Amino acid sequence: MMKYKSVYEYLDEVFSEKKNPSNEEIVKAKKAYWKLYFRHYHKQRRKTRKEFTLGFEPEMLSKIKNKKGSLSTSKFLYQAVCTAIDNNSLNFIQRDLLAEIQQQLMLIISYIEENLLDDKNELAYETIAKIEELELKIHNIQNYDNKEQSN
């Protein structure tokens, strides 16, 4: 906790032995107080609030600039993160995973087509149909996410 409750309390202590300080001395003492005050304030704030530094590529900065409207960039990013977390719309984390799954499904489909369809195997046709259906659902989810992102 900071030792002084106000700038006046600080000045009283600093000038306790000097009855008539000059204006220059008072200004210096006030600057010293505010330096102490802000050091204490930021130290306390860091204890309760974690801050992060983010870096963005030019293309993402352009998107942010277009979306933020009259808000400052920091305020916009803060609100965007809070909104995403509150609405459980963290689908962007899963996009890479969905893309990878879609690629694997396409490989499986081509493998089945190359190796099993020659035998006119009914099970192979059914398997391909189900996998293609799953691949289409993943594709639709990705398209939906892309549309949501562009809005």
Side-chain angles (χ1 to χ4, degrees):
M1 186 153 155
M2 194 161 154
K3 182 178 174 182
Y4 308 103
K5 293 182 181 176
S6 70
V7 69
Y8 303 110
E9 191 176 304
Y10 175 79
L11 292 174
D12 287 343
E13 185 173 315
V14 169
F15 297 121
S16 63
E17 295 183 19
K18 191 168 190 170
K19 297 297 178 199
N20 290 323
S22 69
N23 282 343
E24 188 177 301
E25 291 173 321
I26 294 172
V27 168
K28 281 184 181 179
K30 283 182 177 181
K31 283 183 181 181
Y33 168 79
W34 288 112
K35 200 173 191 180
L36 285 172
Y37 172 82
F38 283 114
R39 185 178 302 135
H40 173 74
Y41 170 77
H42 289 294
K43 185 177 181 180
Q44 294 303 321
R45 189 169 177 181
R46 280 190 300 272
K47 286 181 181 178
T48 60
R49 180 182 166 127
K50 179 69 179 146
E51 294 186 8
F52 298 92
T53 302
L54 302 172
F56 296 99
E57 298 292 328
E59 123 184 354
M60 185 55 71
L61 285 173
S62 173
K63 288 180 182 180
I64 291 169
K65 185 177 179 183
N66 291 337
K67 294 256 184 185
K68 73 180 182 112
S70 62
L71 295 174
S72 70
T73 303
S74 296
K75 192 167 196 160
F76 170 75
L77 291 173
Y78 184 79
Q79 287 181 357
V81 168
C82 289
T83 300
I85 291 170
D86 290 344
N87 293 336
N88 289 326
S89 60
L90 296 175
N91 294 335
F92 61 87
I93 294 171
Q94 299 169 357
R95 262 190 234 129
D96 290 339
L97 181 60
L98 283 175
E100 188 176 329
I101 291 170
Q102 186 178 25
Q103 289 292 328
Q104 293 298 319
L105 286 173
M106 289 171 24
L107 286 172
I108 291 169
I109 291 169
S110 64
Y111 174 77
I112 292 173
E113 286 174 340
E114 288 174 14
N115 295 308
L116 299 178
L117 289 183
D118 294 339
D119 299 335
K120 305 285 185 207
N121 185 341
E122 186 65 32
L123 182 60
Y125 286 111
E126 290 175 20
T127 304
I128 287 179
K130 288 178 181 178
I131 293 173
E132 286 177 338
E133 188 179 312
L134 182 59
E135 194 271 331
L136 182 62
K137 286 179 182 178
I138 290 173
H139 182 73
N140 290 338
I141 290 170
Q142 288 177 320
N143 284 341
Y144 178 78
D145 279 351
N146 289 338
K147 286 178 187 176
E148 288 293 313
Q149 287 260 313
S150 63
N151 288 337

